[in-house]
Amino acid sequence: IRHLCMFHESLSLSVCLNSFTLNSGRPAELAERRELLSARLSALNQTALWLESGAAMFYYTGVQWKRSERPLLWIQAHNGSAWFVCPRFELRRALLAVQGQAPVLTWDEHLSPYPIVAELLRAAAAPSTTVRTLIGTETRYFVVRGVSEQFSESQHRPSPEQHRFSHRRETFVDRLDNASEQRDHASEQR
């Protein structure tokens, strides 16, 4: 790894194993962003925001992570609690990238991360049994579906505010669901 030196007032550089992670702000700035997010979640009566690696995670945590079929997820609860969820074999790299901002929970490669995420969302919602969340726009459909399947319909309700946060994804998901329902209905008619 070559050592890079960059000097800019609002940027800091950290090395994470064989990849560079460019932080989107100083730790105090990132903490302030997360505090404002928690306050906004409370004001909107939301349990949490959860998202996959991408621009939003980078903005709130400074963590940049290459996507794969095994996602790195970040959950920010309305009460200020936060967690990262990653595959166990990525734990060392995740701990270096996260730099102690929040606990990192792992799952074994042959298992699913979705029960862990669902349990964290339920814990953040307690004592209520209804989990209301916002989902990052860059969170892939299979991840959203995997987490949603961990809840019965009465436990997890999409937020009316969700369209503000991820209007494009919602529209795409709705189109997929509608197309699937129409196809099923057409095959029943035959």
Side-chain angles (χ1 to χ4, degrees), residues 1-6 12-23 58 62-66 93 97 99:
I1 297 176
R2 287 187 327 174
H3 293 282
L4 268 176
C5 293
M6 290 180 57
S12 62
L13 186 69
S14 63
V15 177
C16 178
L17 291 182
N18 293 324
S19 63
F20 289 101
T21 302
L22 186 62
N23 291 324
F58 183 63
V63 174
Q64 197 168 20
W65 193 270
K66 185 177 178 184
R93 190 168 83 102
Q99 300 175 2

Side-chain angles (χ1 to χ4, degrees), residues 137 162-174:
T137 58
Q162 179 67 34
H163 73 280
R164 289 187 204 148
F165 201 80
S166 68
H167 180 70
R168 230 174 356 144
R169 189 196 54 76
E170 275 291 314
T171 304
F172 178 72
V173 171
D174 289 342

